[in-house]
Amino acid sequence: MSTDATSRAATGAPHPAPEEARHPRALAPGNLILTVVLSVFGAVVGVQLLATLGVTPSTSLIGALAAMTLARVPLVAFRGFRSVHAQNLAQTSISSATFGAANSLFLPIGIPFLFGMDDMVVPMLVGVSVAMLVDAWLLYRMYDTPAFPAKNPWPLGLAAAEAIRAGDEGGRRAKVLGLGLVTGLAGAVFSLPMSAFGVALIGGFGAMAAFGAGLLFTQYADPLFGLDLNGMYLPHGMMIGAGLVALVQVGRAILGARRTNAARARSAGAPEGAEEGARRLGRSMRLGFGAYLVISVLLAFGTGAATHMSPGMLIGFLVYASVAAFLHELLVGIASMHSGWFPAFAIALITLLLGILIGFPPEALVVLSGFTAATGPAFADMGYDLKTGYLLRGENADPAFELEGRRQQLIAAMIGFGVAIVVVLVSYRMFFDNGQTAPIDAAYVAAIKAGPSVETAEHLALWAVPGAIVQLIGGSKRQLGILLATGLLITTPMAGWMVAAGIAARVLVPRLLGRDVKGDLEVFAGGAIAGDALYSFGNGVFKAAK
């Protein structure tokens, strides 16, 4: 057992003992060297797998395992990695570099390349790099606010935290986690999406039911009912309707939290800091929209797209691109927070389809698709990493320590993103020369070349109505509309059945083994998700190397 675990066992506190109250620094030499090395590895692997297989693996646990391994080396230089918080910094940096390099950078710049606008690639890379950094910073600002509460599942973050805790504490927790890990690996070997099973064990019941329903309907709509959901634009329309309602719900949550907290403060004489979460969310949304507006201006003029639009259309494009990027970020964040899955590619396609219907020229649509695709992945990944740190730091048991830990995680993430920018800058030409881009880029280019369609507009408007209704019924806490649309947009075979199995297990197991087993179920779920992620990572690397 590590010194962290020993101290907590002695004090009985869920947060660090006073002598350990200073959080490890991300810029300390040992941590900095490890985060840079891990970030280079994560960025290279992320781009390679996205270009060859079309997927981006979760490398978070790889970073944690690397730090744990170094902690076992009997040298003074590696002693600091025994801290779970140092391990948290390591997994934060590598996951940021992986998703940043692949999803936020390499994917967007492939769109102008495939469209034959090679001169737009570098300006696009500059713009999406800034968008990625803003994306992560906004989640850091919005984390643990009414829109993105720390207590919500953030499943991949929980899985990483349970793995780190098990390695630190050992005992029963390690055994339960190990059982989940083996289960996840075994299921993944047989092509079962075990992360869906694990997520269903810990996510909100209503949200998971909606997510599973969407997944099952997508899998069987065509073979059983002869329905081409994508051809009908049913999932896309549902997400549009649910997304618009969700945006209104976020606004209402901000106003409601401010009024409630202000009333409590006046009645109890509490300081105005009681409404800080709602204020921080409101300020962050204003700053985020402003930042995205500036980035859209830079992209429009830097790529030359602005020269293909009249002044009026240019203004409309800048406003729409900013709103689309911001809404894309929020929807991806909400979906990932509840389900651990985020349909970033599909939501970016939705914003592109709407841009096509508005009538923006092809050059502007290329910029729009790359810009919106760049926002969301870094936002979601930052949420997972902060959830891991939140759990490891005792779930805000020491508020000052929690805030300091988040700041250090932000620094570690920015190191990862910085490395990602360099890796993509020096490697993208090699991939493009070999004809390799993110596979989804071809779908964006095909949609732009196909042009506007009245039939598409009608389908999107039609299915937006039930999406909005479901989101209204579920409310801002359950996010039923967003999760249903997320399930409809994901086409992973058997995922719906694995969610159903997870929901059944969380109902039946406590009845059979007693309510005390609930905590073990969460640890087991973390192991199952981790096992699936590790197998997917290893299998992906093996296939890419062949």
Side-chain angles (χ1 to χ4, degrees):
M1 184 178 295
S2 75
T3 53
D4 274 344
T6 303
S7 176
R8 285 196 297 276
T11 61
H15 56 283
E19 63 270 17
E20 296 176 345
R22 186 173 176 81
H23 195 282
R25 320 302 285 184
L27 296 178
N31 290 331
L32 180 59
I33 293 172
L34 179 62
T35 54
V36 170
V37 171
L38 288 174
S39 295
V40 171
F41 173 77
V44 171
V45 168
V47 172
Q48 175 69 21
L49 292 186
L50 183 64
T52 55
L53 303 178
V55 298
T56 306
S58 174
T59 55
S60 180
L61 288 170
I62 305 300
L65 290 172
M68 291 179 194
T69 302
L70 289 176
R72 300 299 185 267
V73 178
L75 295 175
V76 175
F78 298 133
R79 187 177 298 168
F81 297 124
R82 296 177 186 175
S83 167
V84 295
H85 310 299
Q87 295 165 18
N88 179 216
L89 295 179
Q91 59 90 200
T92 297
S93 63
I94 189 174
S95 64
S96 299
T98 303
F99 280 103
N103 295 54
S104 297
L105 301 179
F106 184 72
L107 186 154
I109 65 175
I111 301 171
F113 170 76
L114 286 183
F115 208 84
M117 300 176 176
D118 211 47
D119 58 327
M120 293 177 61
V121 171
V122 173
M124 179 76 86
L125 178 58
V126 174
V128 296
S129 295
V130 178
M132 173 184 68
L133 298 176
V134 170
D135 203 29
W137 178 76
L138 284 175
L139 190 281
Y140 168 77
R141 293 265 310 175
M142 293 184 186
Y143 189 75
D144 204 15
T145 64
F148 298 99
K151 65 181 180 180
N152 277 0
W154 300 99
L156 299 186
L158 186 148
E162 294 297 352
I164 293 173
R165 278 174 169 172
D168 181 56
E169 298 175 7
R172 177 181 175 81
R173 179 183 292 273
K175 293 177 182 178
V176 175
L177 184 87
L179 180 61
L181 191 70
V182 171
T183 303
L185 285 168
V189 168
F190 292 98
S191 300
L192 295 176
M194 296 304 294
S195 57
F197 175 73
V199 163
L201 291 174
I202 54 180
F205 194 89
M208 288 299 96
F211 182 51
L215 290 167
L216 286 170
F217 190 63
T218 295
Q219 184 172 352
Y220 294 106
D222 188 18
L224 293 184
F225 307 109
L227 298 176
D228 180 5
L229 298 187
N230 288 325
M232 298 163 59
Y233 291 99
L234 185 150
H236 309 80
M238 293 276 284
M239 182 61 84
I240 289 172
L244 291 174
V245 172
L247 189 61
V248 174
Q249 289 172 335
V250 169
R252 290 186 62 186
I254 295 172
L255 295 176
R258 284 185 177 182
R259 290 169 182 163
T260 301
N261 289 329
R264 289 175 180 173
R266 286 193 299 269
S267 63
E272 290 195 12
E275 56 180 311
E276 177 57 29
R279 285 182 174 178
R280 178 156 44 91
L281 177 59
R283 286 197 302 267
S284 299
M285 293 186 72
R286 291 192 296 271
L287 288 170
F289 180 78
Y292 286 144
L293 182 59
V294 171
I295 295 170
S296 65
V297 171
L298 294 174
L299 280 169
F301 286 92
T303 60
T307 61
H308 298 273
M309 292 180 278
S310 66
M313 179 171 283
L314 176 60
I315 293 173
F317 172 76
L318 295 177
V319 173
Y320 176 74
S322 304
V323 172
F326 192 63
L327 187 58
H328 180 266
E329 174 186 78
L330 291 178
L331 294 180
V332 169
I334 290 170
S336 62
M337 175 174 63
H338 285 280
S339 72
W341 300 50
F342 52 90
F345 300 163
I347 299 177
L349 182 60
I350 292 169
T351 60
L352 174 60
L353 289 173
L354 292 176
I356 292 171
L357 294 174
I358 292 171
F360 295 125
E363 296 81 2
L365 294 171
V366 168
V367 171
L368 173 67
S369 56
F371 181 30
T372 53
T375 63
F379 190 86
D381 185 63
M382 191 70 189
Y384 296 143
D385 295 333
L386 290 182
K387 176 67 174 186
T388 300
Y390 178 80
L391 293 171
L392 294 175
R393 290 186 291 267
E395 302 180 54
N396 206 32
D398 183 342
F401 187 79
E402 169 61 24
L403 292 177
E404 177 60 20
R406 285 188 210 171
R407 281 192 287 268
Q408 295 306 317
Q409 281 192 261
L410 178 65
I411 295 171
M414 290 302 174
I415 293 170
F417 291 132
V419 170
I421 293 171
V422 174
V423 168
V424 173
L425 179 63
V426 301
S427 67
Y428 80 88
R429 182 52 61 185
M430 175 186 68
F431 286 98
F432 288 178
D433 288 345
N434 290 329
Q436 293 179 305
T437 61
I440 190 64
D441 289 346
Y444 297 144
V445 171
I448 295 171
K449 290 182 176 180
S453 165
V454 174
E455 185 181 7
T456 299
E458 291 175 347
H459 282 311
L460 291 175
L462 173 66
W463 296 113
V465 176
I469 292 173
V470 174
Q471 181 69 12
L472 277 171
I473 293 173
S476 60
K477 291 185 178 180
R478 295 184 185 88
Q479 298 290 343
L480 299 186
I482 298 294
L483 270 295
L484 176 60
T486 299
L488 290 169
L489 287 167
I490 293 172
T491 57
T492 303
M494 293 300 295
W497 287 112
M498 298 311 295
V499 170
I503 292 175
R506 68 187 291 176
V507 172
L508 296 175
V509 171
R511 292 182 179 179
L512 296 174
L513 302 180
R515 294 187 179 275
D516 294 340
V517 80
K518 182 180 179 181
D520 288 339
L521 269 181
E522 293 182 351
V523 177
F524 180 86
I529 295 171
D532 190 27
L534 288 174
Y535 178 82
S536 298
F537 172 79
N539 191 47
V541 171
F542 176 75
K543 287 183 177 179
K546 290 178 66 176

